[in-house]
Amino acid sequence: MAEGTAEGTAEAPLENGGGGDSGAGALERGVAPIKPQYLTTKEQFHQFLEAKGQEKPCRETEVGDSAGNDLAEPEAKRIRLEDGQTEDGQTEEAAEPREQPQTQKRARGQNKGRPHVKPTHYDKNRLCPSLIQESAAKCFFGDRCRFLHDVRRYLETKPADLGPRCVLFQTFGRCPYGVTCRFAGAHLGPEGQNLVQEELAARGAQPPPVRNGLDKALQQQLRRREVRFERAEQALRRFSQGQPPGPTPAAAVPEGTAAEGAPRQDNCGAQQVPTGLGTSTPPSSPVRTCGPLTDEDVVRLRPCEKKRLDIRGKLYLAPLTTCGNLPFRRICKRFGADVTCGEMAVCTNLLQGQMSEWALLKRHQCEDIFGVQLEGAFPDTMTKCAELLSRTVEVDFVDINVGCPIDLVYKKGGGCALMNRSTKFQQIVRGMNQVLDVPLTVKIRTGVQERVNLAHRLLPELRDWGVALVTLHGRSREQRYTKLADWQYIEECVEAASPMPLFGNGDILSFEDANRAMQTGVAGIMIARGALLKPWLFTEIKEQRHWDISSSERLDILRDFTNYGLEHWGSDTQGVEKTRRFLLEWLSFLCRYVPVGLLERLPQRINERPPYYLGRDYLETLMASQKAADWIRISEMLLGPVPPNFVFLPKHKANAYK
């Protein structure tokens, strides 16, 4: 699955874990063994943070109760919502039978009812885009425009700058957000004009570092359903006729005609271009060619001629929904990740031209081996989406998500459900493989039920269907993220998959874990939650060492993330608050990391929950807090004060409390 799906990675309830309030808790199973001199109680922990944090305004009242009193951590991590419902949607009265201590369980899954304020609501007066984009000669909306056109009035009501430095202005020589930038003081002239650093802008006038954007014309075609998928429809017709997908036999093609979807040539050297994705050329208009044609112009690549995916022994960053965004992947690339993959994208949303879904496919120039992950339940949509991507995006492979355990996906037949739908699964794999020019990979779990393993039976079939590589997460759907990954079963599956390479995934948090995983014979390892807890894990594995990273170094990593976020999402109010939201979601994982110098035993294990401890300095202690208000305080160090009425609750219920 997308290892960090909103309910998935986020959930991560730990075995027999529970943060202890005293030093005795360090001896409990499932609790990280921290040196006794650093251990403290929950009350002392928060008193220490309060005493040191008085210099800066505290935002606890915004995520606590309305009276400003801090809410104690719920005993069972069950956060109550304002409408009298529990997080799973039940009323308090209906949930009463579950309040008995014997049946209490740690809260898991998503905070579906979490409060959320859209960044567009932070700006009361929003400036018209035509005034921000200097190239626009007139307003895009004309008389219907609801935006503000008075720059002076906008500046009077605009909140104060968040800092003296604009990362976009310093990086590219020009900030495209002009007066709306929350760091506009760094690049506005005396009369409010947007300044430009000519030399830096000239050097930066190269192709944009981010690729795989959605073209507006193609988006309109997708929304109007004007895009044709000849090759996908050809493969689907064969499925309906009971024929195996593959190239059309020469005997089946009438003399003087070409196979459907292939260019046709006449005797005059004119090439007929088929109407396809994003093309408006009518079928009858010939295109004159000059010079010899290559095989690529006439013949589709056969599976044996496709670009090979050779990533044996490389470190693969898992597709992490929500947290595995482009700025986070840039951080991991800097620390040594070899292969990256975009967040799980739903194929039906891509086919509808949803801009938010296409944003998941964006690729930074530093991502030299990059793939995208698709989720879908039906051969027609998945095959059409594969053909769409093969013509519009630059990727090195396409991955099928057959591991997502969340109900929203599973009940529609996608994710883990495909492991029990062999016919549909085969049609999806064969159909996508036929229309793609790049290798096709699959990510699966051990099975759906905890004690019923399916992977060893599926792997030989996937190899025969043409899959280039499979990644196996060593847990079933029922397990989600409870218990340890079954690496013994992964070792058995290596033989079943041979000679197809199999990557293993699960519980990698140190170079020792990685070494033990490689001893099972897997072709490589995929890292998911381990990268969220410490993105420098890739460096530790490659250098075979434990990195006792300081709190200031960790803050620098967060600062780089915010800079990358401002480049990617923008430096106006919407961009800043979007960067803050993703930073806070990531901080909900980073707080689980225990510094190397504080541990009695190395390494930290992923199924061990840290007890309350005081770090070697105030910042290290602050970063260990599982309280959402403290994460907000860290974000304010990097992005300035949060807007009024700002509220944050992470997507998952594993750690955070108000």
Side-chain angles (χ1 to χ4, degrees), residues 403 405 416 419 445-453 473-482 484 486:
C416 274
M419 298 186 72
R445 284 181 175 246
T446 59
V448 177
Q449 296 174 320
E450 185 172 350
R451 294 180 178 84
V452 184
N453 291 330
H473 181 184
R475 294 183 180 88
S476 65
R477 176 183 182 263
E478 281 187 350
Q479 286 178 272
R480 298 292 179 98
Y481 289 84
T482 59
L484 294 175
D486 189 350

Side-chain angles (χ1 to χ4, degrees), residues 356-369:
S356 58
E357 207 73 19
W358 277 81
L360 305 178
L361 311 180
K362 289 188 176 180
R363 172 185 189 172
H364 193 267
Q365 61 183 2
C366 71
E367 298 180 272
D368 48 348
I369 305 178

Side-chain angles (χ1 to χ4, degrees), residues 454-612:
L454 301 175
H456 65 284
R457 297 207 309 262
L458 276 174
L459 287 169
E461 295 180 341
L462 289 170
R463 180 187 59 215
D464 297 338
W465 297 343
V467 173
L469 178 144
V470 173
T471 303
L472 175 59
H473 181 184
R475 294 183 180 88
S476 65
R477 176 183 182 263
E478 281 187 350
Q479 286 178 272
R480 298 292 179 98
Y481 289 84
T482 59
K483 300 187 179 179
L484 294 175
D486 189 350
W487 279 93
Q488 183 177 352
Y489 179 65
I490 293 177
E491 186 174 6
E492 297 173 11
C493 289
V494 171
E495 298 180 6
S498 181
M500 179 181 65
L502 180 74
F503 268 53
N505 170 227
D507 302 339
I508 306 295
L509 193 59
S510 65
F511 72 87
E512 292 100 330
D513 295 335
N515 294 344
R516 282 193 294 269
M518 290 302 295
Q519 289 173 4
T520 62
V522 292
I525 55 175
M526 174 184 280
I527 299 173
R529 280 183 295 160
L532 292 172
L533 268 65
K534 51 177 187 179
W536 54 91
L537 173 60
F538 301 98
T539 300
E540 290 187 349
I541 294 174
K542 290 188 172 181
E543 298 182 1
Q544 294 288 292
R545 67 183 177 96
H546 293 293
W547 185 352
D548 190 7
I549 191 168
S550 67
S551 58
S552 59
E553 289 176 305
R554 291 162 66 190
L555 186 64
D556 288 338
I557 295 172
L558 297 178
R559 183 174 289 108
D560 290 336
F561 174 84
T562 57
N563 289 340
Y564 296 156
L566 294 174
E567 286 183 27
H568 184 56
W569 292 302
S571 60
D572 59 350
T573 300
Q574 290 190 55
V576 168
E577 295 311 315
K578 196 171 225 181
T579 302
R580 191 191 306 274
R581 287 278 175 183
F582 284 111
L583 172 64
L584 292 171
E585 292 285 358
W586 184 21
L587 285 170
S588 68
F589 289 94
L590 281 173
C591 66
R592 305 182 196 180
Y593 168 73
V594 180
V596 170
L598 276 58
L599 288 170
E600 282 190 327
R601 165 187 52 76
L602 292 176
Q604 179 186 356
R605 293 171 183 165
I606 206 163
N607 67 324
E608 292 177 339
R609 182 178 295 272
Y612 287 98

Side-chain angles (χ1 to χ4, degrees), residues 16 21 82 187 193 204 236 260 310 330 332-333 337 357 381 404 413 420 447 451 541 556 565 577 599 604 620 638 644:
N16 302 317
D21 282 0
E82 294 179 359
H187 51 77
Q193 70 273 26
L236 294 169
E260 183 177 355
D310 185 13
R330 289 182 66 181
C332 292
K333 284 295 295 182
E357 207 73 19
T381 53
C404 184
N420 282 329
R451 294 180 178 84
I541 294 174
D556 288 338
E577 295 311 315
L599 288 170
Q604 179 186 356
E620 192 168 77
L638 304 167

Side-chain angles (χ1 to χ4, degrees), residues 597-648:
L598 276 58
L599 288 170
E600 282 190 327
R601 165 187 52 76
L602 292 176
Q604 179 186 356
R605 293 171 183 165
I606 206 163
N607 67 324
E608 292 177 339
R609 182 178 295 272
Y612 287 98
Y613 66 89
L614 297 179
R616 291 164 291 189
D617 55 48
Y618 169 70
L619 184 57
E620 192 168 77
T621 307
L622 182 64
M623 288 180 171
S625 175
Q626 297 179 9
K627 192 176 180 183
D630 292 325
W631 305 339
I632 294 174
R633 190 182 302 176
I634 294 174
S635 79
E636 291 183 319
M637 295 178 182
L638 304 167
L639 292 169
V642 297
N645 304 319
F646 181 86
V647 180
F648 174 76

Side-chain angles (χ1 to χ4, degrees), residues 51 81 204 210 220 250 267 338 373 473 494 532 611:
L81 308 177
V210 175
Q220 291 298 323
N267 296 330
D338 298 310
Q373 188 183 64
H473 181 184
V494 171
L532 292 172

